[in-house]
Amino acid sequence: MHNVMFTGGLSTRANVKIQLTDVNDNWPVFYPREYNVSLPEGGPLGAVLAVAATDKDSGVFGRLTYRITSGNSEGIFRIDPNSGEISLARQVSSRTHRLTVGAVDGGGLAARREAEVYLSVGDPRSPPPQFLRTRYSMSVREDVPLSTNVGKVSASQLGRTGSVRYSINSGDPDGYFSIDPVSGNLRTAARLDHEARSSLLLSVQAAAGNPVAYGVAQVQISIEDVNDNAPEFDSESVRISVRESESGSSPLYTAHATDKDSGDFGRVTYRLEGGPRGLFRLDSRTGDLWLSGRLDYEAAQRHSLLITAADGGSPPLSANLTVLLEVQDVNDNPPVFERPEYSVPVSESLPLNSQFRGCEAAERVSPPGPLVGGTSINLPPQVVQVTAVDLDTGNNARLTYRLVGTSHEFGVFPNSGWVYLRGNLDRERQDSYRLQVAAMDNGSPPATATTLVSVTVTDANDNDPIFAEERYSWYVEENLSRGAVVGRLKASDPDLGQNADVTFSIIPSNSSFQVDPLTGQCAPVSILLIIFLANNRDR
């Protein structure tokens, strides 16, 4: 699985598992392509030699079938279709035979160049050397030092005296082996590499007599694997990105290491060495990295994991891969207001053309508004600022404020959360307001929180006293004693507190009557025309 990080934007993640299916795109190839065999006259029937071809394809496409395509019209030879072993079915009828052998894979592709097998029957006057076996099988570890003895071949010439000399005729293109020309001992001549060639089919020739006669045997040498290759990752580290809401239903990443060795030495297992305990798990066989806990971007934005790949050697060889896992934020945290409710008093006389900030009491401030076109403008008076926080990041934490419902008197700035006055207040009409302010983040889907703003409208002395009657008429007896009550004036004020306390006075003052400033009771002093005036006491 490949994971890609996109900086400065949104991203997502997917597992992509690609299974490569083999197609039959390789032809069988013979190696060696030419074979030489000397047969003794009247020799025994049976196996003579084996031809070998390889096909790089796998499965049925790499399975080969051999057949003799020419040179066997008399049926003297037969071939095992699976192993390529050629046998003598009956005595030869001539001194030389030339066979061509073809190989076809399971998909029907045939070798482009067929093998050629040359067989000669020795002259009875000079019979060819005869090997003890027509085919030898040997094995050697790939880590042996140079000149290590691998095995021995042996041949003799019937009825003749003298030494037999040995040589490698074909089958060793890399010069891995040498043969002692006298003893027939095979030794290593170069550093072996099982991963390059796991086996070789040598054609060994024995020469003897005068005139010289030749005998040929095949030597199958298997180069045994040793644990000389450690597993390998494509890179030392990889960076992946995972949303914090990942459910763990599919692998986060698949680690893959290869080992050039074979068998247990090339079998790789995986283990998780680093990372938070209990949050991740690793399939030891497939290398799949799974989430076993819950990611939380707000707790940890990244994790560093160490994956080790080890082979089956003793001791095992290993390699490490560092997985840098970036946690992507999702909108899993709603906004939270600093307070569930805000309380603020606002004077009903707060003007709309000047700035105010109110918290526990309205306080006038006088910074000028911003300049627009050279003219200073005034923003609506600010009442209180509500503040919410969001633990997410980026767009998921960007908040916008709004009033829930409609209000003719108040509004809220969407970016700052300042509640401002947009209409005139009148305490005598409405003395309090309960506003609901919502904060919404910019996630998808968005999350929202609300808070209450309780506004108490404080009184201002914006109402005049009002007499209960527009005109008062009283009849007064003459010679009424000084201080006797003639009548009582009544007035009221819709304001509160001191703003609603009323005092009475006579305008202009005279010496005939007087009025009690608090009760409004009138008493004679002298008989004159009077005009009454009711005032607020705080004026």
Side-chain angles (χ1 to χ4, degrees):
M1 186 195 77
H2 293 278
N3 291 269
V4 182
M5 282 291 295
F6 298 95
T7 58
L10 300 178
S11 63
T12 188
R13 178 190 58 81
N15 286 331
V16 179
K17 187 174 184 179
I18 301 175
Q19 183 72 38
L20 297 181
T21 303
D22 189 28
V23 296
N24 195 26
D25 56 347
N26 290 282
W27 286 262
V29 176
F30 280 99
Y31 185 82
R33 202 175 71 83
E34 293 185 1
Y35 300 83
N36 294 276
V37 178
S38 293
L39 302 176
E41 186 174 24
L45 304 181
V48 175
L49 82 161
V51 296
T54 57
D55 193 306
K56 294 181 180 179
D57 294 317
S58 60
V60 66
F61 297 143
R63 192 175 301 126
L64 302 181
T65 302
Y66 300 93
R67 67 186 182 91
I68 299 174
T69 59
S70 67
N72 193 34
S73 59
E74 299 178 4
I76 298 175
F77 304 94
R78 65 170 176 260
I79 188 168
D80 187 306
N82 297 317
S83 66
E85 185 176 73
I86 298 175
S87 301
L88 192 62
R90 59 187 181 86
Q91 293 297 330
V92 296
S93 58
S94 60
R95 290 293 177 186
T96 60
H97 293 270
R98 177 180 179 275
L99 305 178
T100 57
V101 179
V104 179
D105 64 23
L109 291 180
R112 291 177 171 177
R113 301 184 68 184
E114 295 180 324
E116 296 183 356
V117 180
Y118 298 93
L119 302 103
S120 61
V121 178
D123 189 335
R125 295 169 300 175
S126 180
Q130 295 296 307
F131 283 93
L132 295 180
R133 294 195 293 269
T134 59
R135 184 164 180 169
Y136 293 81
S137 293
M138 304 175 185
S139 63
V140 60
R141 286 168 55 99
E142 66 172 326
D143 61 344
V144 298
L146 295 179
S147 299
T148 296
N149 187 55
V150 178
K152 181 179 180 179
V153 296
S154 179
S156 62
Q157 189 180 31
L158 295 176
R160 297 287 180 140
T161 60
S163 62
V164 176
R165 298 189 66 82
Y166 302 94
S167 62
I168 296 176
N169 188 36
S170 64
D172 187 16
D174 299 315
Y176 278 176
F177 302 98
S178 64
I179 190 169
D180 188 293
V182 177
S183 67
N185 283 329
L186 283 163
R187 297 178 180 276
T188 57
R191 186 181 181 279
L192 306 181
D193 188 358
H194 169 87
E195 288 70 44
R197 294 190 186 275
S198 60
S199 66
L200 289 171
L201 182 60
L202 306 183
S203 178
V204 176
Q205 180 176 269
N210 187 15
V212 177
Y214 299 96
V216 177
Q218 290 181 314
V219 180
Q220 179 77 46
I221 301 180
S222 296
I223 301 176
E224 297 178 349
D225 190 28
V226 297
N227 194 27
D228 58 344
N229 290 283
E232 294 180 351
F233 287 103
D234 290 337
S235 62
E236 294 182 353
S237 64
V238 64
R239 186 182 298 272
I240 65 175
S241 177
V242 181
R243 289 168 61 88
E244 65 173 324
S245 59
E246 175 65 40
S247 63
S249 59
S250 61
L252 304 177
Y253 178 76
T254 299
H256 180 68
T258 56
D259 194 305
K260 295 177 181 178
D261 295 318
S262 59
D264 289 340
F265 299 149
R267 189 173 299 114
V268 178
T269 57
Y270 304 89
R271 66 179 182 270
L272 188 61
E273 298 285 358
R277 187 178 182 86
L279 187 57
F280 302 96
R281 62 182 176 88
L282 187 71
D283 190 303
S284 61
R285 183 179 61 86
T286 64
D288 289 341
L289 178 66
W290 295 82
L291 184 66
S292 57
R294 183 179 178 84
L295 295 175
D296 186 359
Y297 176 88
E298 289 69 40
Q301 289 80 41
R302 60 190 57 85
H303 299 280
S304 180
L305 311 177
L306 183 66
I307 295 177
T308 297
D311 60 26
S314 182
L317 301 179
S318 62
N320 293 329
L321 172 69
T322 300
V323 178
L324 302 174
L325 188 147
E326 300 282 347
V327 181
Q328 285 186 343
D329 187 31
V330 298
N331 195 27
D332 58 344
N333 290 285
V336 177
F337 278 97
E338 293 179 344
R339 286 186 276 175
E341 184 172 352
Y342 295 77
S343 298
V344 57
V346 180
S347 173
E348 65 175 331
S349 63
L350 184 64
L352 295 180
N353 61 349
S354 61
Q355 293 189 356
F356 285 82
R357 292 175 185 167
C359 188
E360 296 300 324
E363 178 183 359
R364 181 181 294 271
V365 293
S366 58
L371 291 177
V372 178
T375 303
S376 178
I377 64 172
N378 290 312
L379 296 175
Q382 297 168 346
V383 175
V384 65
Q385 186 179 31
V386 296
T387 303
V389 294
D390 194 307
L391 296 179
D392 295 318
T393 60
N395 287 332
N396 295 331
R398 194 175 68 202
L399 302 181
T400 302
Y401 299 90
R402 64 179 177 86
L403 282 180
V404 179
T406 59
S407 173
H408 297 291
E409 292 82 6
F410 297 95
V412 63
F413 289 113
N415 295 327
S416 65
W418 271 103
V419 178
Y420 63 89
L421 187 64
R422 59 185 297 186
N424 291 316
L425 300 178
D426 186 357
R427 186 206 61 80
E428 289 73 33
R429 179 176 57 83
Q430 185 172 348
D431 59 1
S432 66
Y433 296 86
R434 285 181 66 82
L435 309 175
Q436 189 176 34
V437 180
M440 181 175 65
D441 62 29
N442 202 40
S444 179
T448 304
T450 59
T451 187
L452 290 176
V453 177
S454 296
V455 179
T456 300
V457 182
T458 58
D459 188 44
N461 193 25
D462 57 347
N463 291 282
D464 294 325
I466 301 174
F467 280 101
E469 298 180 23
E470 294 184 0
R471 183 182 181 86
Y472 290 85
S473 298
W474 298 313
Y475 295 94
V476 180
E477 295 179 358
E478 63 179 340
N479 299 322
L480 189 64
S481 62
R482 180 184 178 87
V485 175
V486 174
R488 185 174 183 177
L489 303 172
K490 292 183 178 181
S492 62
D493 191 306
D495 293 322
L496 291 178
Q498 292 182 350
N499 294 335
D501 291 339
V502 178
T503 59
F504 299 90
S505 60
I506 298 174
I507 300 175
S509 59
N510 63 77
S511 58
S512 298
F513 290 91
Q514 64 182 11
V515 62
D516 187 297
L518 300 178
T519 65
Q521 292 179 341
C522 296
V525 176
S526 62
I527 301 175
L528 290 170
L529 179 64
I530 56 176
I531 298 174
F532 299 100
L533 179 66
N535 291 320
N536 290 116
R537 277 191 289 174
D538 61 342
R539 293 193 178 180

